[in-house]
């Protein structure tokens, strides 16, 4: 049998036997413990001087085997494990799983539950972008943005806690709706937070967006063409910064996004600065979406009636949603039992990560931090 | 001056004797060293998953761990003396975590934050790669339950660690105290 | 292109293709050696133009493995699913598609790691998550592990 596998030896190439690094070239291991990798990402970087020649990602430092775990969890239980994948869009991950189960069952979700889901999903998106903004600032040398962004994040977390009972990993969604009804203060609180965000967003621009040093570190750095974005399977703001229209909320609307008015933010430059502006504009779009819904949450049931033990019909089901980082796909293969036969999560970060070697080709080592900051990776979502 | 806590105010451990040419301080060396140690713990920036976000919240303005002397977060283990294990540890990460711990200078302290680090938590059953409790790799001083724990819980755990440090022997050997290295399981 | 048109056109390319239309997308089921002859025209022909491979995975059906490729086109916005059946479970092999879609490179590494499927002509096949020392392929149904406590 012909094996194409290479040994993990770093000095020689298994195929040709040639030495992998030449004189003047050296290899740096970035991670798994590195403050700019936002977790435990390990990048092996081939450098010539300060210029990046090649990057090879080594993953698995937080590979928890969630897909294997899901094969033994029921369709009610497996939702919780997904909030630990991309914990910054935990609510949207749960939504994806619930939607996949509902699609397979042909279950109609009550309009009130749909509205609640969207409001909380957009709040999650804002909170996630706030954290991204704070961390971009930290990565690129500014500590102040951290405190500004966390002020708004705390306000959103308080709403989440009041509504769902948890600050970060909400698990508020069940197949057929949401777990419980809203409390009577919900609308008032959300409106207050929206005003706070809109009032404070100019501070963000004053601190970071308008900063000329910050702009120079992002402009014309980490270029990704539209073709490469498609070929690497990039989604989310990372791809929309390269001019690729890929917002699942627009292309394959779910939970009533088709009735809402919002823009898909697209920039064509393909550099870090474009990706930065996509996210900043998305915060305002999310605010706009919530404003349309918050005064007109329909009355009625918050949960459709489902059986205690959910059994999906035989078949394969694929559901995609737009998380804060791109397209999350849930692929369930069911054999008719009460647990999935195979459950695959198509993670947005995994594809976006695979484009980083392309973006960083020829860039300086310092620019890699800027590239990783604007792609906004969440490592547990890559490893699952 | 009274030693230890007085109305939730941390005071200097020792007695001040007034004398005409100033004052004289009588204290125990153990206590004064522990007082200094416990009030300026430098945590390592180490987070693998969700708990790291709550750790960041604890550093933010609302919870503000710098009130208790934790604000000097270090990116390198060589300058840190507290490692907050925030998030699941898997088999591949375990040797890395142990190396990080070994690189830290003594005295060093470990806080296990979150259910995953206590026992594997939600990933205890049915998974093949999760280490079922970080205490299989490094000795833990304080465990904080929760998935993820709230920032207040982290602060509580940190203050508990400070209390623990204040009662540790520094110069006298306490035979009942098991040394860290003996508790460590070799991997 | 609608499901019917896709089915007709794909039937012309591959004689051995079987179709399954029960799900949301059109499923094309082919034996694994037929993969490249089918999937290359899907990417290159202007009328199909499936330039976006958004999900690759593998399913272990105990007596055979099936590789599942979810394809969509950013131009025509149609979707189809190609399922390649690998009958040899002990030494599964399939051609790599990383030359056609770059996203396949890391994804195939992941599948090699978790299912043990060897991808021929893959530029850099390695165990992505678990490392070279790991024994067995955890997402296979017959995987056993003394550390894994089943509930």
């Amino acid at each position: 049998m012909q094996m194409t596998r290479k040994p993990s030896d770093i000095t020689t190439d298994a195929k040709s036997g040639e030495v992998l690094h030449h004189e003047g070239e050296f290899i740096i291991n970035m991670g798994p413990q590195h403050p700019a990798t936002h977790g435990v990402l390990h990048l092996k970087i081939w450098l010539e001087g300060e210029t990046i020649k090649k990057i090879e990602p080594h993953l698995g430092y937080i590979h928890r085997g969630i897909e294997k775990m899901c094969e033994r969890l029921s369709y009610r239980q497996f939702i919780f494990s997904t909030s630990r994948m991309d914990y910054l869009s935990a609510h949207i991950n749960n939504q994806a799983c619930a939607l996949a189960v509902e699609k397979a069952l042909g279950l109609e979700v009550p309009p009130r539950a749909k509205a609640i889901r969207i409001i909380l999903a957009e709040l999650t998106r804002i909170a996630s972008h706030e954290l991204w903004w704070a961390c971009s600032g930290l990565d690129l040398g500014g500590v102040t943005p951290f405190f500004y962004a966390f002020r708004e994040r705390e306000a959103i977390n308080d709403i989440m806690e009041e509504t769902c009972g948890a600050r970060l990993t909400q698990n508020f969604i069940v197949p057929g709706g949401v777990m419980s009804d809203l409390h009577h203060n919900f609308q008032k609180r959300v409106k207050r937070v929206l005003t706070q965000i809109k009032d404070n967003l100019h501070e963000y621009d004053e601190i970071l967006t308008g900063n000329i040093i910050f702009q120079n570190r992002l402009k014309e750095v980490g270029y990704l063409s539209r073709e490469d974005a498609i070929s690497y399977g990039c989604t989310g703001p990372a791809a929309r910064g390269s001019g690729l229209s890929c917002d699942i909320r627009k292309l394959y609307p779910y939970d009533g996004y088709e009735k809402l008015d919002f823009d898909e933010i697209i920039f064509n430059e393909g550099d870090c600065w474009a990706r930065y502006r996509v996210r900043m504009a998305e915060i305002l779009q999310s605010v706009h979406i919530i404003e349309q819904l918050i005064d007109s949450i329909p009355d009625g049931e918050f949960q459709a009636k489902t059986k205690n033990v959910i059994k999906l019909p035989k078949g394969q089901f694929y559901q995609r949603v737009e998380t804060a980082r791109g397209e999350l796909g849930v692929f369930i293969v069911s054999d008719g039992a009460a647990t999935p036969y195979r459950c695959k999560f198509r993670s947005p970060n995994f594809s976006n990560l695979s484009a980083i070697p392309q973006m960083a080709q020829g860039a300086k080592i310092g620019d890699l931090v800027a590239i990783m900051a604007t792609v906004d990776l969440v490592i547990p979502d890559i490893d699952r | 001056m009274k030693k230890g806590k007085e109305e939730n105010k941390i005071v200097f451990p020792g007695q001040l004797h007034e004398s005409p040419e100033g004052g004289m301080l009588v204290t125990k060396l153990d206590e004064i060293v522990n007082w200094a140690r416990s009030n300026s713990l430098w945590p390592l920036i180490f987070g693998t998953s969700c708990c790291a976000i709550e750790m960041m919240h604890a550093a933010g303005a609302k919870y503000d761990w710098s009130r208790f002397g934790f604000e000097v977060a270090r990116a390198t283990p060589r300058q840190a003396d507290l490692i907050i294990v925030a998030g699941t540890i898997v088999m591949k990460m375990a040797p890395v975590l142990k190396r990080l711990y070994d690189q830290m200078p003594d005295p060093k302290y470990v806080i296990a934050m979150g259910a995953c680090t206590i026992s594997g938590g939600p990933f205890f059953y049915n998974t093949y790669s999760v280490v079922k409790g970080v205490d299989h790799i490094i000795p833990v001083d304080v465990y904080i339950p929760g998935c993820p724990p709230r920032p207040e819980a982290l602060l509580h755990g940190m203050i508990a660690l400070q209390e623990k440090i204040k009662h540790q022997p520094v110069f006298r050997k306490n035979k009942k105290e098991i040394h860290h290295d003996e508790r460590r399981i070799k991997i | 292109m609608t499901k019917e048109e896709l089915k007709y056109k794909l039937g012309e390319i591959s004689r051995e293709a079987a179709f399954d239309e029960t799900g949301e997308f059109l499923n094309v089921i082919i034996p694994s050696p037929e993969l490249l002859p089918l999937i290359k025209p899907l990417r290159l022909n202007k009328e199909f133009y499936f330039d976006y491979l958004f999900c690759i995975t593998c399913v272990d059906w105990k007596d055979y493995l099936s590789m599942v490729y979810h394809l969509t086109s950013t131009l025509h916005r149609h979707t189809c699913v190609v399922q390649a059946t690998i009958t040899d479970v002990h030494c599964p092999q399939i051609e790599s598609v990383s030359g056609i879609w770059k996203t396949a490179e890391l994804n195939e590494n992941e599948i090699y790691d978790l299912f043990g499927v060897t991808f021929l002509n893959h530029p850099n096949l390695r165990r992505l998550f678990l490392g070279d020392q790991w024994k067995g392929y955890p997402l296979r149904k017959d995987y056993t592990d003394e550390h894994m406590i089943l509930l």
Side-chain angles (χ1 to χ4, degrees), chain A residues 32-35 38-40 58-66 68-69 72-73 80-81 83-85 87-88 131 134-135 138 146-147 150 153-154 157-158 161 167-169 379-380, chain B residues 44-54 56-57 59-63 74-77 87-90 92-93 96 100 116 122-123 125-130 147-148 150-152:
Chain A
Q33 162 63 17
H34 189 280
H38 296 194
V40 281
H58 287 248
L59 307 173
Y61 292 96
I62 183 75
H63 175 66
R64 300 180 279 200
I66 289 182
K68 182 82 175 176
M69 212 170 113
R72 295 187 76 91
L73 293 177
F80 93 90
S81 66
S83 19
R84 274 86 186 160
M85 272 166 27
Y87 40 78
L88 293 177
L131 190 119
C135 291
L138 277 178
F146 176 79
F147 297 102
F150 269 59
R153 230 188 107 79
E154 282 292 349
N157 272 0
D158 286 346
E161 190 184 4
R167 288 159 51 87
L168 194 63
T169 48
I379 314 302
Chain B
L44 175 72
I45 301 177
F46 177 80
T48 58
S49 52
C50 343
C51 293
I53 303 297
E54 289 298 63
M56 284 166 77
H57 275 279
K62 188 171 175 183
Y63 297 100
R74 295 281 113 176
T76 162
T88 325
I89 300 298
V90 301
K92 197 172 178 182
M93 191 64 199
V96 182
L100 282 174
C116 295
F123 306 102
Y125 292 112
N126 305 334
T127 67
Y128 45 87
S129 60
V130 174
C147 188
R150 298 176 50 85
E152 289 100 326

Side-chain angles (χ1 to χ4, degrees), chain A residues 70-125:
Chain A
C70 287
E71 287 173 15
R72 295 187 76 91
L73 293 177
S74 80
Y75 289 108
R76 284 183 192 283
Q77 290 168 330
F78 91 120
I79 292 178
F80 93 90
S81 66
T82 57
S83 19
R84 274 86 186 160
M85 272 166 27
D86 183 355
Y87 40 78
L88 293 177
S89 353
H91 184 86
I92 312 179
N93 287 5
N94 298 347
Q95 197 179 6
C97 293
L99 280 166
V101 174
E102 283 151 14
K103 183 190 263 181
L105 289 174
L107 196 67
E108 188 53 42
V109 182
R112 184 174 175 82
K114 283 185 179 175
I116 296 172
R117 280 182 182 185
I118 291 185
I119 292 172
L120 289 175
E122 294 305 319
L123 280 176
T124 311
R125 198 183 312 278

Side-chain angles (χ1 to χ4, degrees), chain B residues 13-91:
Chain B
Q15 286 180 340
L16 194 68
H17 293 275
E18 302 268 346
S19 68
E21 286 155 25
M24 197 165 57
L25 184 77
V26 179
T27 181
K28 288 180 191 160
L29 203 50
D30 268 16
E31 276 179 9
I32 201 165
V33 168
N34 281 335
W35 171 80
R37 269 181 189 169
S38 63
N39 286 318
S40 89
L41 284 167
W42 290 11
L44 175 72
I45 301 177
F46 177 80
T48 58
S49 52
C50 343
C51 293
I53 303 297
E54 289 298 63
M55 194 169 90
M56 284 166 77
H57 275 279
K62 188 171 175 183
Y63 297 100
D64 193 12
W65 66 15
S66 47
R67 288 180 293 162
F68 308 101
F70 290 99
E71 78 276 22
V72 198
R74 295 281 113 176
T76 162
R78 294 176 200 283
Q79 297 168 358
D81 44 17
L82 164 66
I83 178 166
I84 303 170
V85 188
T88 325
I89 300 298
V90 301
M91 303 283 191

